Amino acid sequence: MENELKIKYDEEFKKFVDKMNQLEDEHDSKIENILEGVCSLLGISKIRVWFYETPMKEAMGQGDFIELYGVSLEPSGKTCNQFRYVTGGGNVVRYDVYGQDEGSAWTKQQEAEINTLVNTIFSYHGKIRTKHIAERLTFWDDDFGLNNMRYFMKTVGERIAKNQLVGYVACMYNLKRFSVINELVGRDMGTQIMIRYARGLEALYDSDDSVCHLGGDNFLTLFRLEKLEEVEEYLRGVPVIYNEMSGESVLISASAGFYVISDMNGIHGPDDVMEGIYVSANMAKKSEKTDTIFWNEQIKEKQFQKKKIEDIFPDALENEEFKVYYQPKFLFENEYRLVGAEALCRWCHKGSMIYPNQFIPILEQSINICKLDFYMLDHVCRDINRWIDAGKAVVKVSVNLSRKHLTDQNLLEHIMEIIDRNRVPHQYIEIELTETTTDVDFKDLKRVANGLHKYGISTSVDDFGMGYSSLNLIRDVPWDMLKVDKSFLPETEDSCDDNAKKGILLKHVIEMAQELGLQCIVEGVETEEHLRLLKKNRCYLAQGYYFDKPLPVEVFEERLECEQDSD
Ligand code: C2E
Ligand code: CA
Ligand code: CA
């Protein structure tokens, strides 16, 4: 009988050890069942396992109770053997083993077997612990004491797999003006405030839904739809105390992108949810009108178009689908003379024409715009080179350069390489740059404009008056030309009052440019009335539909020839 029992025990024990070895994700009831069997065979009623991070914590009784194995709920046996291990990392693991039999002590043989058993459980716990640590590192942001993006993705993924995502709202939020708060309270307290704000949001959820730290002042959260109003309210702003003593607080608010998951259309994985909130959160961050944007079909469609354009752009560039159109610039002091042109881009794709407003803003979100601008400059240079070779009249052509280029430290060399490779005399090229909003941009802008100036390439401020014009920008950079935006010209639908104000602004902008020794051109001249206004202000340089729309190169060449003939 003893032998039989021993064989059975060995079999069970082997199963148990095998199971332990292949465990990892299988910390399931099976293991506990087997362990229960082993405990019962060994006459063990219960094993209680404690984990202490350090011996000091053990001494203070500050440990985690991790597992309880055995057959009965309460330790019933009198005999209690205690095992204690100190790991290589200095952690302490303690096992209390209770016997089933109240009276007798363990035999030597039993003690040896219990020892083996506890050793095995110990190595099992080692693995579990390692797994916990790995999980902690993977899904936890230690600096913030919050879950991280991987945790968010895992949670969403698990809900998708269990078909339990409908009825939830995913959200990405970004704290508003947090750099100001950091300046006010310091970075460390700033971090504490971010954590408190996140914890305050978590406190609204009466579940284990959490707030995850994405990075910087960006956070992610997934919560039940019923909580949406409360969450929106919270994100609109709450005071967060940063000085417990004085009770001083700062008002923290956030811009946010939401994805209300009312069905699973278009959601195949967590990435689809992430994309939805990422795009809408970015829109909300940039928007001047609203702080919250909900992912919807329209945004999805726009996003789809954006992706499509980004996908087909490289081939389109390679296949030269982008065409240079030339919009003439006219001098009209005494007679009309075509004195220059602006190169504007048109995309001819599969027989239809795509206008810049449909693709430039998308390309401007990546360095694709730089590729396009260099392509345009190159094609303009090729055209000029061809006109010179054919002995045609040539005028100065301005090329638009996106602000995205400004951080490129080799920008100047790149521009000059294109111009010189095409053997274009420098006086035929002008670079149009738009106004800038930040100091960093401003430095780069100055560097680039100064460089171009040295090479004899003209520069102009495009859309002057549209952005946040800084008069320092005009003073500190050696511009040749100011391009006054069409918004300074009266429109038929404007009120008399508006037009009068526009008239005053136009007059002074033109005067200022002239007094600073800059040339001044007005864009968007459409009517006789516009022309009259320019003449009245002694500005004789204009570009607009009144003269010509942007023209395909062949038509523009004809214009140039007419110009030459009339000379
Ligand atoms: P922009 O540089 O301000 O160019 C002037 C825009 O005003 C052009 O629109 C032109 O067709 C339009 N326009 C000209 N005259 C009139 C007029 O009398 N009335 C009205 N209402 N509009 C007029 P387009 O060609 O659609 O280009 C739009 C914008 O796209 C450009 O504005 C520019 O910012 C950008 N863009 C175009 N080509 C390029 C390029 O090659 N590179 C870069 N970076 N941007 C470009
Ligand atoms: Ca322009
Ligand atoms: Ca413009």
Side-chain angles (χ1 to χ4, degrees), residues 200-219:
L201 185 57
E202 274 179 343
L204 297 180
Y205 308 150
D206 35 30
S207 59
D208 56 357
D209 296 337
S210 68
V211 174
C212 309
H213 183 221
L214 177 64
D217 56 356
N218 297 294
F219 296 80

Side-chain angles (χ1 to χ4, degrees), residues 323-325 327 342-346 355-361 364 369-370 372-377 399-403 405 432 434 462-463 466 483 485-486 489 523-527 530 543-550:
K323 307 289 174 207
V324 182
Y325 271 52
Q327 186 174 35
E342 173 174 5
L344 291 157
C345 186
R346 297 291 178 267
Y355 286 86
N357 59 357
Q358 285 174 272
F359 62 88
I360 297 276
E364 276 181 331
I369 191 65
C370 303
L372 180 71
D373 286 346
F374 288 141
Y375 168 102
M376 289 288 288
L377 177 63
V399 176
N400 289 285
L401 206 72
S402 160
R403 246 191 275 156
H405 290 273
E432 294 192 12
T434 50
D462 197 5
D463 303 338
M466 273 273 278
K483 292 194 83 180
D485 189 68
K486 57 179 171 288
L489 292 174
E523 294 186 86
V525 172
E526 288 180 347
T527 61
H530 289 163
Q543 176 186 344
Y545 296 167
Y546 178 80
F547 306 99
D548 268 315
K549 293 205 161 180

